[in-house]
Amino acid sequence: MNLLITGGAGFIGSHVVRLFVKAYPNYSIYNLDKLSYAGNLENIKDIERAENYTFLKGDINDSTYLGAIFNKYKFDSVIHLAAESHVDRSIEDPIAFVKTNIIGTINLLDQCRKHWGDNKEHLFYHISTDEVYGSLGSSGLFEETTGYDPNSPYSASKASSDHFVRAYGETYKIPYVITNCSNNYGANQFPEKLIPLFINNILNNESLPVYGDGLYTRDWLFVEDHALAIDLVFHKGKIKETYNIGGFNEWKNIDLIRLLCNLMDQKLKRDEGTSEKLITYIKDRPGHDRRYAIDASKINKELGWKPSVTFEEGLDKTIDWYLNNNEWLNNVTSGIYKEYYGKMYFK
Ligand code: NAD
Ligand code: TYD
């Protein structure tokens, strides 16, 4: 099996690449990543010398390059994670999201169409998000049958790429599967998303910018459990199916932030309440989705997946990882990081 994984130097992709390289020594794993601000080879340093692993630096928007690597490596299947992934950045620069998330996905699909023909022994696995379903009221859960209703440029670009995957499946008979997952947290997440940003800011005694009233709800899943779900769906998922992945783990932002502050005070041996003082309510994110919550019963019933760690365990491991990986954090927050985060217009 020659398996192409895109975006494998990023947050979720690095956990997926590591899992596959270790669990499947008989597969040849190719990691294609352009190494954007969010891609970092340090994330997969421990497996870079593995015999079944090859890193390919390239852009999914470069179809000539894609054609060359498809010719050379004859990929049997693709797990596609490469994307622009942060909602706030999509508000600042929507076109970048259209280019990578929509056009980049189509470029990959097109290579599969050209190289796979009618052969059914392939799989295009698209990693997507629950944000395509839009926003929930105070009750209800996103099911696989929930209609798409994206509100941010990020979620609109992911919704569009999901549609193109389906369209290529119907039109050109490319075998595909799609999973839509809730918010991930864990090691190696770039400190722009809520949990690593706030860990970093607490460490540096900087303010914790809470958007709007802080009563927005997200459903959090430990990244290693997402990677295990991806492994299961890749091997056992039914062609043309969609599976929702989530931890039945809803938190209002402000409750999660208070929990994080308490845990950080304990770990840093600071007085109780020290980190909470950094909380600053700021202007809301435009188009901010009120609530996401996943019904993950299909993947549980059909494939037997469920999260392996509780939120308390996952968060504890995550905080410890950031505390023990100061150099990683310093590296990714050096250079233009501070300038960028200082100028986000709604902060
Ligand atoms: P990330 O931003 O941490 O990593 C994305 C990776 O893609 C980076 O390594 C980057 O260098 C690479 N990349 C970006 N543009 C590229 C291009 N044009 N060509 C090649 N490589 C490119 O993202 P993540 O949080 O790991 O998300 C991975 C995937 O999972 C995305 O498709 C995202 O939509 C999806 N997802 C993320 C979450 C989440 O909570 N983070 C939840 C559900 C789904
Ligand atoms: P985020 O980690 O950006 O993920 P997403 O928007 O894809 O769900 O944000 C999670 C929640 O935290 C979301 O409701 C926005 C909120 N948030 C803040 O209040 N302040 C921040 O600085 C960030 C980054 C997010």
Side-chain angles (χ1 to χ4, degrees), residues 7-13 32-40 58-61 80-85 100 127-130 154 158 181-184 189 192-193 226:
F11 166 49
I12 301 170
L32 167 64
D33 198 297
K34 83 165 183 185
L35 300 181
S36 74
Y37 76 95
N40 187 347
D59 192 326
I60 56 170
N61 283 313
H80 176 38
L81 296 108
E84 289 293 338
S85 67
T100 284
I127 306 301
S128 192
T129 167
D130 61 350
Y154 165 66
K158 292 297 290 187
C181 188
S182 61
N183 288 57
N184 284 214
Q189 189 170 31
E192 62 183 352
K193 308 279 191 329
H226 188 190

Side-chain angles (χ1 to χ4, degrees), residues 13-195:
S14 60
H15 291 275
V16 174
V17 165
R18 176 176 302 102
L19 177 67
F20 273 76
V21 164
K22 289 190 169 172
Y24 303 104
N26 53 330
Y27 294 3
S28 296
I29 313 285
Y30 297 87
N31 173 12
L32 167 64
D33 198 297
K34 83 165 183 185
L35 300 181
S36 74
Y37 76 95
N40 187 347
L41 290 177
E42 287 295 316
N43 295 350
I44 31 171
K45 200 157 181 49
D46 54 320
I47 49 104
E48 72 184 357
R49 288 180 203 285
E51 274 184 21
N52 60 340
Y53 172 72
T54 306
F55 177 68
L56 304 168
K57 184 174 186 313
D59 192 326
I60 56 170
N61 283 313
D62 182 346
S63 42
T64 311
Y65 175 76
L66 286 186
I69 60 170
F70 268 77
N71 264 332
K72 182 166 180 191
Y73 298 111
K74 313 262 179 275
F75 303 122
D76 296 299
S77 290
V78 177
I79 304 180
H80 176 38
L81 296 108
E84 289 293 338
S85 67
H86 191 42
V87 173
D88 294 347
R89 284 179 186 254
S90 81
I91 295 168
E92 280 224 319
D93 183 9
I95 306 278
F97 284 66
V98 171
K99 284 185 184 152
T100 284
N101 298 0
I102 306 178
I103 310 284
T105 301
I106 299 170
N107 283 336
L108 278 170
L109 287 164
D110 226 41
Q111 291 302 328
C112 298
R113 173 171 76 88
K114 287 176 187 152
H115 286 84
W116 293 351
D118 286 338
N119 190 331
K120 297 282 176 292
E121 300 303 303
H122 300 285
L123 181 66
F124 188 92
Y125 179 178
H126 189 227
I127 306 301
S128 192
T129 167
D130 61 350
E131 303 191 22
V132 298
Y133 298 122
S135 186
L136 288 164
S138 54
S139 63
L141 300 171
F142 294 135
E143 294 171 13
E144 285 79 359
T145 50
T146 303
Y148 276 32
D149 194 15
N151 293 312
S152 73
Y154 165 66
S155 54
S157 69
K158 292 297 290 187
S160 174
S161 56
D162 286 1
H163 290 322
F164 270 102
V165 173
R166 280 202 181 83
Y168 268 68
E170 293 302 322
T171 309
Y172 306 112
K173 311 296 173 216
I174 291 177
Y176 73 88
V177 65
I178 299 172
T179 48
N180 297 84
C181 188
S182 61
N183 288 57
N184 284 214
Y185 68 96
N188 299 120
Q189 189 170 31
F190 192 80
E192 62 183 352
K193 308 279 191 329
L194 182 71
I195 290 179

